[in-house]
Amino acid sequence: MKRLSAALAVAAVALAAGCGSGGGDGGGDAAPGQNGEPVKLRFLSLAWQKESIEANKQIVADWNTANPKIQVEYVQGSWDNVNDQLVTSFEAGDPPDVIHDDSPALSSFASRGFLLDLTGKVPAELKSDIPQAAWDTVTFSDGKSGQGVYGVPFLQESQVLIANKKLLDGAGVRVPTPESPWTWDEFADVAKKLTKKGAYGVAWPMKSPVNKVLNLALNFGGTFFDTQNGKTTVKVGPQEREVLQRIHDQLYTDKSADPSALGMGTADPLPGFFAGKYAIVPAGVYLRQQVAEQAPSGFEWVTLPPLKGQTSQQGAVSQTLSVAADSKHPDEALKFIAYFLNGPNQAKLAKGDWLLPTSTTAAKDPALTTKENGWDVATASAKDLVVAPFLKVNGFDEWKSKVATPAMQEYFADKISLDELANRLVEEGNKVLERYSR
Amino acid sequence: MTALAERPYGRAGGGSRRGPRSGSGFALLLPALVPVLVFSVGPLVYGILLAFTDARSGRNTETSFVGLENFAELLSDGDFWESFRIGMIWGLSVTVLQFLASLGLALLLNQDLRLRGVARVLAVVPWAMPPVVVGLMWRLVYHPDAGLLNGLFGSDVDWLHDFSLALPAVIVVGVWTGMPQTTVVLLAGLQNVPRELYEAVSVDGAGPWRRFWNVTLPQLRPVIVAITSLDFVWNINQFSLVYVLTQGGPGGRTRLPMLFAYEEAFRYGFFGYAATLGVAITIVVLVVLGLYLWRQAREGD
């Protein structure tokens, strides 16, 4: 009998403990910044380059000293797992107040209602400092019938060419300028000229080919998606095929591009580039940072402006700051964003990440227009950035990872033909997109 | 493990002290049962229910029951079948290779070798590493430029990003990771084989091969059945290792079913469909395991 009651007592305690821990927390620290206590904001930053992290932390520290009533906590995130981190914290209802991400990610979060619509809430000064083309990259459907602005765009990336100056001079090719860039035809010729025994004219790192191809496809007006009556379908016509075909030709017809670079990520060809194995590496402007830092002494490199097809237009996405819909202090969060992204601060951030600022005042900063490290060419390329058409496509992420990435990788590895690629992109792609229109 | 542990204590259970157990037994179980109910059974039931809904990620989404719609979609989903096929190749080959390699290692460690103690400890070391660390370590081994493997062979292969090599490369890591527990269990089994049996067959003039085939294997049988089925369940549900190594790439060539379910849920936000995937894999594992154990039990008789 004694044993029975003892056992029951243990069980009761365990039960009580179990229940207690279940529903205990919750309403505790939700009180807003009344009674003189400062408002606390959490700012999830994805800065990863050393200079950039420093710039971010510095701006946050400046803000915290100037605004004792609104204290911002810097939270370090990572591009590698930001999606998982955000999905779980959104679903749990406890997201960071201010969220650093990029515009392709915003579209799906916006349509699920996780982000605050900033329409009419952005201070006029900030709004007018950023051109409409950049605002377009953060304007999405709200998942019902309306449109909203779901972030403030601040850093943009364009695709440029980074070239070995000695090899260019040695081959006697014309060095392009932002006013008269290389056309794709000229680029093909140059690459052939630069290809010698054991050295290739160009290395296309195509580990993640989709964004690269889609952004460049706009050179020839290729949009890859077609929206009619609210229904989006994939299209691969002659305009979309141009860039795909040209890169493929360099790899297998001209043999001026190294096929073994295909599996590489953007920065992986650099050792070969420094060793003179590749004369030109197409890359985002941010890669200049790694080139400048890692280049052996005496290595001369130049940044060449984007290529020209019918136009020099490229699809652009932006890095963004957004406010969580579940944030308890949205107004304070916006005030912080307006400060964080003002002209001088954007110039600092752009320098730290070697990217292009959206702010027009920041773009005039002398540090961003100097010849050194190709800043003049990089900053000039911003004028041709237009909103990437795929940004507005619901389900693009799944299309990209399930259909487009493997199909393009196989195409560039010469395992399937261009027709087959087009077929797969369209047919399998439309099936994927259908899931999202239900 | 249980098969082994039960043997020495087997008699005690049937002993004479049968106290007033019906009531107090349950009460004693309760403290242990509550966490199981709250943390195991609860989420499990929730997950199964979720499989019959159209739950999606979102702040204002409405969830409704859709019956078997998810399962119908699953059956016609080419990506799922591809992932399922990869999962089966992975699960079976890792389990079989793991078993063969571990058996060899266990036989070796069971011999009277010099430094046997050290060797045994070394064999268990991978066990102490979390899968994420194992994944990171092997990523360095497979690294195309700075990797140990390419350095060793002087080759220039991007093991984890090559369409045809990625899955075999990942399988090798899977085998390596799972070997310690399999080896330890088999070694324990080997040590439980009565010496007299070996002496008896030696008297009958059996060589090492016959000794292995006629004594060791039959004696090990229950252990082998237990560890291979556990390994299979473990392997088919493997997630972290492959997630760190390849994230399911290149082009989905290493997208195991669990990775697929994870992507559906946390990348694309289809919670209901992902739950369906989980249920489907559970059913498959149960069926495969049931068949296997049933056959083994029949042959054992």
Short mmCIF file of all heavy atoms in Angstrom, two decimals, chain B residues 62-101:
data_model
loop_
_atom_site.label_atom_id
_atom_site.label_comp_id
_atom_site.label_asym_id
_atom_site.label_seq_id
_atom_site.Cartn_x
_atom_site.Cartn_y
_atom_site.Cartn_z
N GLU B 62 -6.10 29.10 -43.80
CA GLU B 62 -7.15 28.26 -43.23
C GLU B 62 -6.83 26.82 -43.59
O GLU B 62 -6.48 26.50 -44.72
CB GLU B 62 -8.51 28.63 -43.82
CG GLU B 62 -9.07 29.89 -43.23
CD GLU B 62 -10.23 30.42 -44.04
OE1 GLU B 62 -10.89 29.60 -44.70
OE2 GLU B 62 -10.45 31.64 -44.01
N THR B 63 -6.94 25.97 -42.61
CA THR B 63 -6.63 24.56 -42.81
C THR B 63 -7.91 23.76 -42.80
O THR B 63 -8.76 23.96 -41.94
CB THR B 63 -5.70 24.06 -41.70
OG1 THR B 63 -4.54 24.88 -41.69
CG2 THR B 63 -5.31 22.63 -41.94
N SER B 64 -8.08 22.90 -43.79
CA SER B 64 -9.27 22.06 -43.79
C SER B 64 -8.88 20.63 -44.11
O SER B 64 -7.85 20.38 -44.73
CB SER B 64 -10.28 22.58 -44.81
OG SER B 64 -9.65 22.70 -46.06
N PHE B 65 -9.71 19.71 -43.70
CA PHE B 65 -9.43 18.31 -43.99
C PHE B 65 -9.69 18.03 -45.46
O PHE B 65 -10.67 18.48 -46.03
CB PHE B 65 -10.32 17.41 -43.12
CG PHE B 65 -9.70 17.16 -41.78
CD1 PHE B 65 -9.97 18.00 -40.71
CD2 PHE B 65 -8.83 16.10 -41.60
CE1 PHE B 65 -9.37 17.78 -39.48
CE2 PHE B 65 -8.23 15.87 -40.37
CZ PHE B 65 -8.51 16.72 -39.31
N VAL B 66 -8.77 17.30 -46.06
CA VAL B 66 -8.94 17.02 -47.48
C VAL B 66 -8.96 15.51 -47.73
O VAL B 66 -8.86 15.06 -48.86
CB VAL B 66 -7.80 17.65 -48.32
CG1 VAL B 66 -7.91 19.15 -48.28
CG2 VAL B 66 -6.45 17.19 -47.84
N GLY B 67 -9.08 14.74 -46.67
CA GLY B 67 -9.12 13.29 -46.84
C GLY B 67 -7.83 12.75 -47.40
O GLY B 67 -6.75 13.10 -46.94
N LEU B 68 -7.94 11.96 -48.43
CA LEU B 68 -6.77 11.26 -48.95
C LEU B 68 -6.12 12.00 -50.12
O LEU B 68 -5.27 11.46 -50.81
CB LEU B 68 -7.15 9.85 -49.39
CG LEU B 68 -7.53 8.92 -48.24
CD1 LEU B 68 -8.08 7.62 -48.77
CD2 LEU B 68 -6.33 8.66 -47.34
N GLU B 69 -6.52 13.26 -50.31
CA GLU B 69 -6.03 14.00 -51.48
C GLU B 69 -4.50 14.06 -51.53
O GLU B 69 -3.90 13.86 -52.58
CB GLU B 69 -6.59 15.42 -51.41
CG GLU B 69 -6.68 16.10 -52.76
CD GLU B 69 -7.35 17.44 -52.61
OE1 GLU B 69 -8.59 17.48 -52.58
OE2 GLU B 69 -6.62 18.43 -52.50
N ASN B 70 -3.89 14.30 -50.35
CA ASN B 70 -2.43 14.37 -50.31
C ASN B 70 -1.80 13.07 -50.76
O ASN B 70 -0.78 13.07 -51.45
CB ASN B 70 -1.95 14.71 -48.90
CG ASN B 70 -2.15 16.16 -48.56
OD1 ASN B 70 -2.23 17.00 -49.45
ND2 ASN B 70 -2.26 16.46 -47.28
N PHE B 71 -2.39 11.96 -50.33
CA PHE B 71 -1.82 10.67 -50.70
C PHE B 71 -1.96 10.43 -52.19
O PHE B 71 -1.07 9.88 -52.83
CB PHE B 71 -2.50 9.55 -49.90
CG PHE B 71 -2.10 9.54 -48.46
CD1 PHE B 71 -2.83 10.24 -47.52
CD2 PHE B 71 -0.98 8.85 -48.04
CE1 PHE B 71 -2.45 10.26 -46.20
CE2 PHE B 71 -0.59 8.85 -46.71
CZ PHE B 71 -1.33 9.57 -45.78
N ALA B 72 -3.08 10.86 -52.75
CA ALA B 72 -3.27 10.72 -54.20
C ALA B 72 -2.23 11.53 -54.94
O ALA B 72 -1.60 11.06 -55.90
CB ALA B 72 -4.67 11.17 -54.58
N GLU B 73 -1.99 12.74 -54.44
CA GLU B 73 -0.99 13.60 -55.09
C GLU B 73 0.39 12.98 -54.99
O GLU B 73 1.18 13.00 -55.93
CB GLU B 73 -1.01 14.97 -54.40
CG GLU B 73 -0.32 16.05 -55.20
CD GLU B 73 -0.26 17.36 -54.44
OE1 GLU B 73 -1.24 17.67 -53.71
OE2 GLU B 73 0.75 18.06 -54.55
N LEU B 74 0.65 12.38 -53.84
CA LEU B 74 1.95 11.75 -53.60
C LEU B 74 2.22 10.65 -54.61
O LEU B 74 3.30 10.55 -55.18
CB LEU B 74 1.95 11.17 -52.19
CG LEU B 74 3.29 10.82 -51.57
CD1 LEU B 74 4.08 12.07 -51.34
CD2 LEU B 74 3.07 10.08 -50.26
N LEU B 75 1.17 9.83 -54.85
CA LEU B 75 1.36 8.70 -55.74
C LEU B 75 1.67 9.15 -57.16
O LEU B 75 2.34 8.44 -57.91
CB LEU B 75 0.09 7.83 -55.74
CG LEU B 75 -0.14 7.07 -54.44
CD1 LEU B 75 -1.42 6.26 -54.51
CD2 LEU B 75 1.03 6.17 -54.10
N SER B 76 1.20 10.33 -57.54
CA SER B 76 1.44 10.78 -58.90
C SER B 76 2.57 11.80 -58.98
O SER B 76 2.79 12.42 -60.00
CB SER B 76 0.16 11.40 -59.48
OG SER B 76 -0.20 12.52 -58.70
N ASP B 77 3.30 11.96 -57.87
CA ASP B 77 4.38 12.95 -57.84
C ASP B 77 5.71 12.30 -58.24
O ASP B 77 6.28 11.51 -57.48
CB ASP B 77 4.47 13.53 -56.41
CG ASP B 77 5.48 14.67 -56.33
OD1 ASP B 77 6.27 14.84 -57.28
OD2 ASP B 77 5.46 15.39 -55.32
N GLY B 78 6.16 12.63 -59.43
CA GLY B 78 7.40 12.04 -59.93
C GLY B 78 8.59 12.32 -59.03
O GLY B 78 9.44 11.46 -58.82
N ASP B 79 8.63 13.53 -58.47
CA ASP B 79 9.75 13.88 -57.60
C ASP B 79 9.78 12.99 -56.36
O ASP B 79 10.83 12.62 -55.87
CB ASP B 79 9.63 15.34 -57.16
CG ASP B 79 9.97 16.28 -58.29
OD1 ASP B 79 10.88 15.95 -59.05
OD2 ASP B 79 9.32 17.33 -58.40
N PHE B 80 8.58 12.68 -55.86
CA PHE B 80 8.53 11.82 -54.69
C PHE B 80 9.09 10.43 -55.01
O PHE B 80 9.91 9.90 -54.27
CB PHE B 80 7.10 11.68 -54.17
CG PHE B 80 6.94 10.54 -53.19
CD1 PHE B 80 7.52 10.61 -51.94
CD2 PHE B 80 6.25 9.40 -53.54
CE1 PHE B 80 7.40 9.56 -51.04
CE2 PHE B 80 6.13 8.34 -52.65
CZ PHE B 80 6.70 8.42 -51.40
N TRP B 81 8.66 9.89 -56.13
CA TRP B 81 9.12 8.53 -56.46
C TRP B 81 10.62 8.52 -56.69
O TRP B 81 11.30 7.57 -56.32
CB TRP B 81 8.37 7.99 -57.68
CG TRP B 81 6.97 7.63 -57.33
CD1 TRP B 81 5.84 8.29 -57.70
CD2 TRP B 81 6.55 6.55 -56.47
NE1 TRP B 81 4.74 7.70 -57.13
CE2 TRP B 81 5.14 6.63 -56.37
CE3 TRP B 81 7.23 5.56 -55.77
CZ2 TRP B 81 4.41 5.73 -55.61
CZ3 TRP B 81 6.48 4.67 -55.02
CH2 TRP B 81 5.10 4.75 -54.95
N GLU B 82 11.12 9.58 -57.31
CA GLU B 82 12.57 9.66 -57.51
C GLU B 82 13.27 9.69 -56.16
O GLU B 82 14.25 8.96 -55.92
CB GLU B 82 12.89 10.93 -58.33
CG GLU B 82 14.36 11.18 -58.59
CD GLU B 82 15.02 10.04 -59.34
OE1 GLU B 82 14.31 9.25 -59.99
OE2 GLU B 82 16.25 9.93 -59.24
N SER B 83 12.75 10.52 -55.28
CA SER B 83 13.34 10.63 -53.95
C SER B 83 13.23 9.31 -53.20
O SER B 83 14.14 8.88 -52.49
CB SER B 83 12.63 11.75 -53.20
OG SER B 83 12.83 11.63 -51.83
N PHE B 84 12.10 8.64 -53.37
CA PHE B 84 11.87 7.36 -52.73
C PHE B 84 12.87 6.31 -53.23
O PHE B 84 13.45 5.54 -52.45
CB PHE B 84 10.44 6.91 -53.05
CG PHE B 84 10.05 5.64 -52.39
CD1 PHE B 84 9.84 5.58 -51.03
CD2 PHE B 84 9.86 4.50 -53.14
CE1 PHE B 84 9.48 4.40 -50.43
CE2 PHE B 84 9.50 3.31 -52.54
CZ PHE B 84 9.31 3.26 -51.17
N ARG B 85 13.10 6.33 -54.53
CA ARG B 85 14.05 5.40 -55.13
C ARG B 85 15.45 5.65 -54.55
O ARG B 85 16.14 4.71 -54.14
CB ARG B 85 14.08 5.62 -56.65
CG ARG B 85 14.79 4.55 -57.45
CD ARG B 85 14.75 4.91 -58.93
NE ARG B 85 15.54 6.10 -59.22
CZ ARG B 85 16.86 6.06 -59.46
NH1 ARG B 85 17.50 4.93 -59.45
NH2 ARG B 85 17.53 7.18 -59.69
N ILE B 86 15.82 6.93 -54.50
CA ILE B 86 17.13 7.27 -53.93
C ILE B 86 17.22 6.83 -52.48
O ILE B 86 18.22 6.26 -52.03
CB ILE B 86 17.38 8.78 -54.06
CG1 ILE B 86 17.54 9.16 -55.53
CG2 ILE B 86 18.61 9.21 -53.27
CD1 ILE B 86 17.49 10.65 -55.79
N GLY B 87 16.12 7.04 -51.75
CA GLY B 87 16.10 6.65 -50.34
C GLY B 87 16.29 5.15 -50.18
O GLY B 87 17.01 4.70 -49.27
N MET B 88 15.65 4.38 -51.06
CA MET B 88 15.78 2.93 -50.97
C MET B 88 17.20 2.48 -51.31
O MET B 88 17.78 1.64 -50.62
CB MET B 88 14.79 2.24 -51.92
CG MET B 88 13.42 2.09 -51.29
SD MET B 88 13.58 1.14 -49.78
CE MET B 88 12.00 1.23 -49.07
N ILE B 89 17.75 3.04 -52.40
CA ILE B 89 19.13 2.71 -52.75
C ILE B 89 20.05 3.02 -51.57
O ILE B 89 20.87 2.21 -51.16
CB ILE B 89 19.59 3.52 -53.99
CG1 ILE B 89 18.78 3.10 -55.21
CG2 ILE B 89 21.07 3.32 -54.24
CD1 ILE B 89 19.11 3.89 -56.45
N TRP B 90 19.85 4.21 -51.04
CA TRP B 90 20.67 4.65 -49.91
C TRP B 90 20.49 3.71 -48.72
O TRP B 90 21.45 3.17 -48.17
CB TRP B 90 20.30 6.09 -49.56
CG TRP B 90 20.57 6.50 -48.15
CD1 TRP B 90 19.72 6.38 -47.09
CD2 TRP B 90 21.77 7.06 -47.63
NE1 TRP B 90 20.31 6.87 -45.96
CE2 TRP B 90 21.57 7.28 -46.25
CE3 TRP B 90 22.99 7.42 -48.19
CZ2 TRP B 90 22.53 7.83 -45.43
CZ3 TRP B 90 23.96 7.97 -47.36
CH2 TRP B 90 23.73 8.17 -46.01
N GLY B 91 19.24 3.49 -48.31
CA GLY B 91 18.96 2.73 -47.10
C GLY B 91 19.51 1.31 -47.21
O GLY B 91 20.20 0.82 -46.30
N LEU B 92 19.21 0.65 -48.34
CA LEU B 92 19.64 -0.73 -48.49
C LEU B 92 21.15 -0.84 -48.62
O LEU B 92 21.78 -1.64 -47.94
CB LEU B 92 18.94 -1.37 -49.70
CG LEU B 92 17.44 -1.59 -49.50
CD1 LEU B 92 16.80 -2.12 -50.78
CD2 LEU B 92 17.20 -2.57 -48.35
N SER B 93 21.74 -0.02 -49.49
CA SER B 93 23.17 -0.20 -49.71
C SER B 93 23.97 0.19 -48.47
O SER B 93 24.94 -0.49 -48.13
CB SER B 93 23.65 0.58 -50.94
OG SER B 93 23.25 1.90 -50.86
N VAL B 94 23.56 1.25 -47.80
CA VAL B 94 24.31 1.62 -46.59
C VAL B 94 24.20 0.51 -45.56
O VAL B 94 25.19 0.10 -44.95
CB VAL B 94 23.81 2.96 -46.00
CG1 VAL B 94 24.44 3.22 -44.65
CG2 VAL B 94 24.14 4.10 -46.94
N THR B 95 22.98 -0.01 -45.37
CA THR B 95 22.80 -1.05 -44.35
C THR B 95 23.63 -2.29 -44.68
O THR B 95 24.33 -2.84 -43.82
CB THR B 95 21.31 -1.43 -44.25
OG1 THR B 95 20.56 -0.23 -44.05
CG2 THR B 95 21.08 -2.36 -43.09
N VAL B 96 23.56 -2.73 -45.95
CA VAL B 96 24.27 -3.95 -46.32
C VAL B 96 25.78 -3.76 -46.21
O VAL B 96 26.48 -4.56 -45.58
CB VAL B 96 23.88 -4.37 -47.76
CG1 VAL B 96 24.80 -5.47 -48.25
CG2 VAL B 96 22.43 -4.83 -47.79
N LEU B 97 26.27 -2.65 -46.79
CA LEU B 97 27.71 -2.41 -46.75
C LEU B 97 28.20 -2.24 -45.31
O LEU B 97 29.26 -2.74 -44.92
CB LEU B 97 28.07 -1.17 -47.57
CG LEU B 97 27.83 -1.31 -49.07
CD1 LEU B 97 28.07 0.01 -49.77
CD2 LEU B 97 28.75 -2.38 -49.64
N GLN B 98 27.40 -1.52 -44.54
CA GLN B 98 27.73 -1.30 -43.15
C GLN B 98 27.87 -2.62 -42.42
O GLN B 98 28.81 -2.85 -41.68
CB GLN B 98 26.58 -0.53 -42.51
CG GLN B 98 26.96 0.53 -41.56
CD GLN B 98 25.75 1.42 -41.29
OE1 GLN B 98 24.65 0.92 -41.06
NE2 GLN B 98 25.95 2.71 -41.33
N PHE B 99 26.91 -3.51 -42.69
CA PHE B 99 26.91 -4.79 -42.02
C PHE B 99 28.15 -5.59 -42.42
O PHE B 99 28.85 -6.13 -41.55
CB PHE B 99 25.64 -5.57 -42.38
CG PHE B 99 25.71 -7.01 -41.98
CD1 PHE B 99 25.74 -7.36 -40.64
CD2 PHE B 99 25.77 -8.00 -42.94
CE1 PHE B 99 25.83 -8.69 -40.27
CE2 PHE B 99 25.87 -9.32 -42.56
CZ PHE B 99 25.90 -9.66 -41.23
N LEU B 100 28.43 -5.66 -43.72
CA LEU B 100 29.57 -6.45 -44.17
C LEU B 100 30.87 -5.90 -43.59
O LEU B 100 31.69 -6.64 -43.04
CB LEU B 100 29.63 -6.46 -45.69
CG LEU B 100 28.47 -7.21 -46.37
CD1 LEU B 100 28.59 -7.12 -47.88
CD2 LEU B 100 28.44 -8.67 -45.92
N ALA B 101 31.04 -4.58 -43.70
CA ALA B 101 32.28 -3.98 -43.21
C ALA B 101 32.42 -4.17 -41.71
O ALA B 101 33.49 -4.48 -41.19
CB ALA B 101 32.32 -2.50 -43.57
#
